[in-house]
Amino acid sequence: MEARRETPLGGTEGPHAAPGVWAIVQRWWRWAQEHWLLPVLALAALVRFYDLTAAAIWGDEGSSLLLSQYSLPNIWVHAAHDVHPPLYFMLLHGWIELFGDGIFSIRLLSALPGIATVWLGVWLMDLLATRRAALLTGFLLALLPTAVRYSQEVRMYSLLGLWLIGATIALIYWVRHPRHTRYLVAYTLLMVVAFYTHYFTALCVLCHWLYLGFIRVQPGYRLRHIQRPGWWLANVAIVLLYLPWVPNFIDLIQHMDQLKANGDVGWETPVTLGSLPSMLWSFLMQDDGETLPSLMFIAMPLAMLAIAGVALAHDRSVFRGSVLLVIYTALPLLLVFGVSFISPVFIERYLTAFALGLPMIVALAIDRLYSGFKVLALTVLVLFVGVELVGLKNNATVDTKDQISVMVDYVNRHFVTGDRIVTSDMLWYLSYVYYNRADAKPLLYTPPLATGASSRPNAYGFGTLVTQDIYLDNLGGLPKGSGRVWLIGTVDVPDEFAPLPAGWQRIDETHAGGANARLFVLH
């Protein structure tokens, strides 16, 4: 009898096996072992490119596009009056110069960093734990609904996640190799660009300092990195490189009342104790969870607390990577939640970069549970993925026929030379101008307040993006032109333009995406 030999895949090869088939299988197996990250990145790309152009440009995205139309020096000036630093808008300016302002192109600038961040998350976990934990991290990060959502918006949140995870990787390399200053140089540069992208980068700085403080005082082998001159010099360098922007930030803080008057800040509703679990549900399911049964509603924070406990309890490493991940994820969330009892800033998109730590902690816990509690580990994995899939479905529930773009297209097709277009609200205006193809500049209706004061935006927030000639204080002051006016307002809110001038007759109306367009003839 001929002997049967074991194959690298664990099977056996008999005399009648087809060597050519086995050779192909073995080659594919070796390729998968060497290139296991590619399917993860393909999944990340798939969910981010799916329906990338389905949702219409909304107000915040429209503000990004308006700001990016300025020259780079003027972007610096106007961003100083906006609620975000200038780097993203400068990058968007250059991106549009190269690739145009089509909706796929402009959202691609967010999708690509989102995909790259999945790769960085895998890299980070590969440094902190096992290859299995890294693979799980990539899979769960690829599906994270809040990361997918903000990889599909013309805003800076996806880019911020890229910078912060990259900086955290550089920090870990430096902790492991403190004599290699190149890691601190990389850390410094990444933190600087993060600060020029979003002010909440300061929360990441706190996380990194707290982590270094922890490993300095941990029982056993204590790491003194927080005392090293290189660390202090790196932070001084960050401050020095950010100094050109600091006067603008101080000026913005001093004019916070004007931002609140415009509604650019202070619009968030006050937080309650339920806001914290709601935020976690929003990260994972794109729903605040408030309609869920009470026990299920509070199960999320309790489950995440238990999962974090597992990740921390089984960490026997010198560098305590699980501590870094828990601090990175929990500290910003809890700190902003606490601050929001004074001034509400508990906003999902501002914290999405830190929510990237949630799937990493889950992956770490599953990896450590798997050795002794396989069924429990797989149960956690299935439940977490199930919640993420619900969130992805919520992300994708976009009715392409019920978008403001549909309404604007209707106006474009029925526009007659000489028609006037008036919007009732700044957010409608910001969306409308992107889709406007008519030969008329949309106007923004700003009637005097009941006190007689002007309702025009001031020079801060969205008000810095537009010129004074777009404001219309009195409908009766419109030049007659063709004798027709399109009023763009909110569906079921007919009094936004009331009272209309005498003799106006409505002859057409359409609505989509929560906005309506009414066409009036002036007699």
Side-chain angles (χ1 to χ4, degrees):
M1 177 182 292
E2 293 188 43
R4 300 171 66 87
R5 64 184 179 88
E6 189 175 353
T7 71
L9 295 177
T12 57
E13 184 179 277
H16 302 295
V21 173
W22 274 112
I24 293 172
V25 172
Q26 289 168 4
R27 281 199 298 271
W28 276 102
W29 179 253
R30 286 194 296 271
W31 183 91
Q33 288 179 313
E34 294 172 1
H35 303 90
W36 58 272
L37 184 57
L38 293 181
V40 171
L41 295 181
L43 176 63
L46 176 65
V47 296
R48 282 157 180 78
F49 285 131
Y50 180 79
D51 266 359
L52 182 63
T53 62
I57 295 294
W58 72 291
D60 278 11
E61 292 182 294
S63 71
S64 296
L65 294 166
L66 278 184
L67 187 47
S68 70
Q69 291 176 9
Y70 288 100
S71 65
L72 295 184
N74 283 332
I75 288 176
W76 181 278
V77 171
H78 288 285
H81 288 181
D82 193 25
V83 293
H84 298 297
L87 180 59
Y88 172 77
F89 309 111
M90 291 180 168
L91 293 176
L92 182 59
H93 173 90
W95 185 270
I96 291 173
E97 288 287 325
L98 290 173
F99 304 110
D101 65 351
I103 192 168
F104 179 83
S105 169
I106 55 180
R107 285 186 172 157
L108 189 62
L109 183 58
S110 295
L112 292 179
I115 296 166
T117 302
V118 173
W119 167 57
L120 291 183
V122 172
W123 186 355
L124 177 58
M125 187 58 71
D126 209 28
L127 290 172
L128 300 178
T130 66
R131 180 58 56 84
R132 180 171 61 200
L135 178 59
L136 283 169
T137 291
F139 178 59
L140 298 180
L141 260 180
L143 298 177
L144 183 64
T146 190
V148 173
R149 175 179 176 180
Y150 294 108
S151 293
Q152 296 182 324
E153 283 202 1
V154 190
R155 295 296 276 172
M156 70 292 296
Y157 309 111
S158 175
L159 193 64
L160 179 65
L162 181 73
W163 303 142
L164 297 187
I165 298 298
T168 304
I169 291 172
L171 177 68
I172 290 297
Y173 270 107
W174 176 71
V175 168
R176 291 187 172 191
H177 310 284
R179 294 184 179 180
H180 294 184
T181 57
R182 64 180 180 271
Y183 298 129
L184 276 182
V185 171
Y187 176 83
T188 300
L189 295 176
L190 286 165
M191 291 304 291
V192 168
V193 295
F195 266 113
Y196 276 103
T197 300
H198 200 280
Y199 295 122
F200 271 33
T201 298
L203 297 172
C204 186
V205 173
L206 292 176
C207 294
H208 291 164
W209 275 87
L210 185 58
Y211 165 68
L212 293 181
F214 175 84
I215 61 175
R216 172 64 183 85
V217 301
Q218 67 179 328
Y221 190 72
R222 298 183 178 183
L223 302 174
R224 301 176 183 272
H225 294 72
I226 199 170
Q227 298 171 232
R228 287 181 173 269
W231 172 248
W232 287 83
L233 286 173
N235 282 268
V236 169
I238 292 170
V239 172
L240 290 176
L241 290 170
Y242 196 60
L243 277 180
W245 187 254
V246 170
N248 297 320
F249 176 67
I250 294 173
D251 179 70
L252 189 68
I253 295 300
Q254 291 175 339
H255 291 86
M256 192 61 67
D257 288 343
Q258 289 178 263
L259 285 167
K260 289 180 179 179
N262 286 347
D264 294 277
V265 299
W267 51 266
E268 181 73 2
T269 56
V271 295
T272 65
L273 292 179
S275 299
L276 187 59
S278 284
M279 181 69 79
L280 290 174
W281 281 111
S282 295
F283 286 146
L284 298 177
M285 204 173 67
Q286 293 299 284
D287 185 284
D288 60 19
E290 293 182 357
T291 59
L292 296 172
S294 298
L295 288 178
M296 185 179 295
F297 179 69
I298 65 172
M300 177 64 71
L302 295 178
M304 289 307 305
L305 187 63
I307 288 170
V310 170
L312 292 170
H314 291 78
D315 191 346
R316 301 291 183 266
S317 66
V318 172
F319 302 108
R320 303 302 294 268
S322 61
V323 173
L324 174 59
L325 291 179
V326 170
I327 291 174
Y328 176 87
T329 307
L331 179 63
L333 193 65
L334 295 174
L335 188 59
V336 176
F337 174 64
V339 169
S340 292
F341 281 96
I342 303 170
S343 178
V345 286
F346 202 50
I347 303 168
E348 178 195 354
R349 54 186 179 272
Y350 289 2
L351 291 162
T352 289
F354 302 102
L356 298 172
L358 290 172
M360 297 186 197
I361 295 170
V362 172
L364 197 58
I366 291 172
D367 178 58
R368 289 171 175 167
L369 283 172
Y370 191 77
S371 300
F373 305 93
K374 288 184 173 60
V375 173
L376 179 58
L378 293 174
T379 300
V380 172
L381 175 61
V382 169
L383 289 175
F384 193 81
V385 171
V387 172
E388 286 192 314
L389 291 177
V390 172
L392 289 179
K393 183 177 182 298
N394 289 337
N395 275 338
T397 53
V398 175
D399 184 353
T400 56
K401 297 181 180 179
D402 189 21
Q403 302 283 315
I404 187 174
S405 54
V406 176
M407 183 271 289
V408 182
D409 179 64
Y410 181 90
V411 177
N412 290 336
R413 288 185 285 107
H414 294 83
F415 182 85
V416 174
T417 300
D419 283 4
R420 305 295 178 179
I421 302 170
V422 184
T423 59
S424 66
D425 179 84
M426 176 63 86
L427 288 176
W428 289 135
Y429 174 85
L430 293 171
S431 299
Y432 196 100
V433 292
Y434 176 75
Y435 293 103
N436 182 43
R437 301 293 181 267
D439 185 23
K441 178 188 291 186
L443 303 175
L444 177 61
Y445 186 47
T446 52
L449 300 174
T451 60
S454 173
S455 66
R456 291 186 176 189
N458 53 56
Y460 285 83
F462 290 152
T464 192
L465 304 177
V466 296
T467 54
Q468 294 292 311
D469 61 344
I470 75 149
Y471 299 134
L472 177 68
D473 298 336
N474 180 6
L475 290 176
L478 277 171
K480 190 168 184 179
S482 66
R484 306 193 330 162
V485 177
W486 294 90
L487 297 184
I488 312 299
T490 307
V491 173
D492 298 328
V493 185
D495 60 345
E496 289 176 297
F497 295 97
L500 295 177
W504 283 37
Q505 180 183 356
R506 186 173 63 190
I507 62 171
D508 196 5
E509 183 172 2
T510 186
H511 62 85
N516 71 343
R518 292 176 291 164
L519 176 60
F520 289 85
V521 173
L522 283 58
H523 292 293

